[in-house]
Amino acid sequence: MALSILSNIPSLAAQNQLAITGAGLQKTLFRLSSGSRINSGSDDAAGLAIADGLHANITALTQSARNANDGVGNLQVADGSLAQVTTLLNRAVTLATESATGTVSNAQRTALDSEFTAIKAEIDRIGSNTTFNGTAVFTATSTNIYLSDSTSGGASNIGVTTGLLSSLGIGLLANASGTLTAAANATATKTVTVGATTYNFVAALSGTPTANEVLIGANTAATLSNLAAAINGGAGSGTVYGSPTVANASATAVAGASSIAILAKTSGTAGNAVATTSTDTNLTFGGATLAGGGGTASLTTAATAQAALTNINAAISSVAATRGQIGAAINRLQSAVNVMQNQTQNLSAAEDGIRAADIAQEVANMTKYSILNQTGISSLAQANQMQQSVLKLLQ
């Protein structure tokens, strides 16, 4: 081998190998300190893309499980409230049964009816004031629980509906007597307001009926039927009030000094019923006179107490059915949580297999690179000393 001082090839080789060893040692130390096999895109570009996608799935599923648990909490609040309503109704059964017996005086029945009235008021308060996270619990609108794994194909909504809750809705204010008959028909230009919508009575529908036209029928019963159709968006045109498959809200329609109740139906039935709520013997409605009129379930007489008892038992059955529906929805959401937690576990294992560093292997690598680093430095020192042998020739 020729002696040369222009280039120290062994030294350059030692430096190059030492740089490679240093880079390997640095990467190993990064992996040991972070616990991750992939610390930059250059470590494993394809693996990084897969791992990040899996992590997005895990994040979405984790939040979706929280969404479902929040839905369970909402329904459990509703179920607990309905349990209290059942307790109140059982007390109402006691009161009605006591009032129906002949050994109770009218004054005592009045006292019993006062407590019954308070029970109905409390049911109304529970229905209107029960909230979860600032939102009403008892509503006719379906609450959508959004579940997703961050992909469009893995997203879904679970709709849960508690339905409206009121003493009227479960039948405690429906103790109507008499039938609805008309002494005269409703007249054109009369109006009735339901919620924020005003309906106009017309003698004949226009060529292109407007959404709030109500055709005057041959009698008051027919006119009321047309009003219900208009409210429900049925035959003869009209706007939709609520949904045919969701419990509709109760509302009061006012026509002059008279009132008409739009009674809420239970979930799964179509439309609303129309009934009078006035206790007057004759109720004027749009120019027509209705004989009879509605009443209110009461315990003031033995006869009304017996009738109220039937309504109370029906209300207990209605509440029990609603609690059954809520329970089924709770079970569904809890099943969804179980599935998502299982997905999260398996996806986390898959991500860990790609992203996590093999500590045993990295420790072995660190040992190897540490030794190579030391031998590389020693080799570099020896290579640098080889050039000094040229000085011997100059002596």
Side-chain angles (χ1 to χ4, degrees):
M1 180 181 69
L3 294 175
S4 172
I5 62 172
L6 294 179
S7 298
N8 190 341
I9 303 303
S11 176
L12 292 175
Q15 291 177 48
N16 182 50
Q17 191 59 51
L18 189 60
I20 295 173
T21 300
L25 180 60
Q26 184 182 48
K27 181 179 291 187
T28 298
L29 290 173
F30 281 171
R31 289 175 175 175
L32 286 173
S33 61
S34 67
S36 177
R37 184 180 68 87
I38 305 174
N39 293 291
S40 69
S42 62
D43 291 337
D44 185 353
L48 178 63
I50 296 172
D52 283 350
L54 291 174
H55 191 73
N57 296 152
I58 294 167
T59 301
L61 286 168
T62 300
Q63 183 57 52
S64 293
R66 294 193 190 103
N67 290 352
N69 281 323
D70 288 343
V72 169
N74 179 285
L75 293 174
Q76 286 176 335
V77 169
D79 184 66
S81 299
L82 289 175
Q84 184 58 39
V85 169
T86 299
T87 300
L88 292 171
L89 291 173
N90 284 329
R91 175 57 181 167
V93 168
T94 301
L95 297 174
T97 303
E98 183 178 0
S99 179
T101 189
T103 58
V104 176
S105 67
N106 288 335
Q108 291 170 329
R109 289 192 179 96
T110 299
L112 293 172
D113 186 62
S114 296
E115 184 176 350
F116 182 48
T117 299
I119 287 174
K120 290 183 287 186
E122 178 58 16
I123 292 173
D124 289 335
R125 190 197 67 80
I126 291 173
S128 60
N129 292 350
T130 303
T131 62
F132 179 85
N133 193 31
T135 303
V137 168
F138 294 104
T139 173
T141 304
S142 176
T143 300
N144 289 324
I145 307 301
Y146 184 73
L147 309 177
S148 173
D149 64 357
S150 81
T151 65
S152 58
S156 63
N157 280 304
I158 295 181
V160 294
T161 303
T162 56
L164 294 166
L165 174 64
S166 67
S167 55
L168 182 149
I170 60 177
L172 295 186
L173 296 183
N175 215 17
S177 60
T179 57
L180 302 180
T181 58
N185 293 330
T187 59
T189 72
K190 294 289 185 179
T191 63
V192 60
T193 300
V194 180
T197 304
T198 298
Y199 297 91
N200 303 305
F201 293 101
V202 295
L205 295 175
S206 58
T208 304
T210 60
N212 61 349
E213 286 185 0
V214 177
L215 180 64
I216 297 173
N219 51 46
T220 301
T223 302
L224 286 173
S225 177
N226 291 339
L227 174 61
I231 292 171
N232 296 314
S237 81
T239 57
V240 176
Y241 180 73
S243 169
T245 59
V246 177
N248 293 327
S250 301
T252 299
V254 178
S258 304
S259 63
I260 305 242
I262 310 303
L263 303 179
K265 289 281 188 147
T266 57
S267 177
T269 60
N272 291 297
V274 178
T276 60
T277 55
S278 173
T279 56
D280 297 336
T281 303
N282 294 309
L283 174 65
T284 300
F285 171 67
T289 300
L290 308 180
T296 298
S298 69
L299 309 182
T300 54
T301 68
T304 58
Q306 292 173 20
L309 189 59
T310 300
N311 291 337
I312 295 168
N313 285 325
I316 291 174
S317 297
S318 175
V319 171
T322 301
R323 291 188 70 187
Q325 294 173 356
I326 291 174
I330 289 174
N331 290 338
R332 181 182 180 187
L333 289 175
Q334 288 177 333
S335 295
V337 170
N338 292 337
V339 170
M340 288 183 291
Q341 288 177 337
N342 183 268
Q343 285 180 276
T344 300
Q345 174 186 337
N346 291 317
L347 290 175
S348 296
E351 182 195 8
D352 191 76
I354 297 172
R355 195 188 296 276
D358 186 338
I359 301 302
Q361 180 182 347
E362 297 305 328
V363 169
N365 288 339
M366 184 182 68
T367 303
K368 177 184 72 172
Y369 287 127
S370 295
I371 294 173
L372 286 174
N373 188 62
Q374 294 176 44
T375 58
I377 292 173
S378 297
S379 298
L380 179 59
Q382 291 296 325
N384 289 336
Q385 284 188 355
M386 286 178 61
Q387 295 291 79
Q388 296 179 8
S389 63
V390 176
L391 295 176
K392 298 290 185 180
L393 298 176
L394 299 176
Q395 292 178 356

